[in-house]
Amino acid sequence: MMQVSNITGTVRYNNRVSLAEKVIPATDLSEQISTAGTEASGTGNMKFMLNGALTIGTMDGANVEMAEEAGEENMFIFGMRVEDVAELDKKGYDAMSYYNAIPELKQVMDQIKSGFFSPKNPDLFKDITEMLMKYDRFKVFADFEAYVKCQHFV
């Protein structure tokens, strides 16, 4: 069950087992996205896969184990690997360079920043856009193009 706070707009999920018994078998696509080398290995995505859902995600967490057991060819894997993240860390991650180089990413960020998706509260997502542009330790923009391209194959 999803609960949305009227005050902050935050979303909280109640992941009861009885709800999972309904949601997991009904899932067509499981999106398991985290920066390679940063996610603990959970099992939720394994449950989705065991119930027939396709998986799109980065090579991180339980996706690594799933790819080893089921074969990477049976998943939609995109984005940086651990080695790529380490190399980017050495070089230095600059969100603005991705923002300026990828028109679709720029459009999305500009729409979010302008309040396009929250016209009654244009600053609703300001903290998120500021974090992504200035303080993103997960380097989200670095995997954006690969994610979009991978979606075409799903």
Side-chain angles (χ1 to χ4, degrees), residues 18-142:
S18 58
L19 180 60
E21 289 173 338
K22 295 175 182 161
V23 171
I24 290 173
T27 302
D28 293 327
L29 180 64
S30 171
E31 299 203 21
Q32 304 296 324
I33 303 168
S34 55
T35 303
T38 64
E39 184 66 29
S41 185
T43 60
N45 49 339
M46 292 179 181
K47 293 172 188 154
F48 287 115
M49 183 182 246
L50 286 169
N51 279 276
L54 301 174
T55 300
I56 183 172
T58 53
M59 191 54 87
D60 190 45
N63 288 350
V64 174
E65 298 167 54
M66 291 164 51
E68 288 171 357
E69 296 300 322
E72 191 172 330
E73 68 278 6
N74 293 307
M75 301 170 69
F76 297 92
I77 299 295
F78 70 91
M80 296 183 291
R81 306 293 173 118
V82 172
E83 311 80 49
D84 302 319
V85 174
E87 187 62 34
L88 185 55
D89 284 340
K90 286 180 191 172
K91 184 175 90 173
Y93 173 72
D94 176 26
M96 194 59 107
S97 66
Y98 292 95
Y99 172 83
N100 289 324
I102 307 169
E104 296 85 359
L105 175 61
K106 184 178 187 323
Q107 179 182 359
V108 168
M109 290 301 293
D110 289 349
Q111 285 179 319
I112 294 169
K113 283 193 284 188
S114 73
F116 181 86
F117 300 104
S118 56
K120 292 183 180 177
N121 187 358
D123 290 332
L124 181 63
F125 302 110
K126 184 178 180 181
D127 291 342
I128 294 171
T129 57
E130 286 289 309
M131 183 278 301
L132 288 170
M133 295 299 292
K134 298 177 182 175
Y135 314 106
D136 181 18
R137 68 185 184 98
F138 295 105
K139 305 162 194 68
V140 172
F141 292 174

Side-chain angles (χ1 to χ4, degrees), residues 4-24:
V4 180
S5 167
N6 291 334
I7 297 169
T8 64
T10 56
V11 178
R12 195 169 28 144
Y13 292 93
N14 178 350
N15 292 323
R16 300 183 321 244
V17 171
S18 58
L19 180 60
E21 289 173 338
K22 295 175 182 161
V23 171
I24 290 173

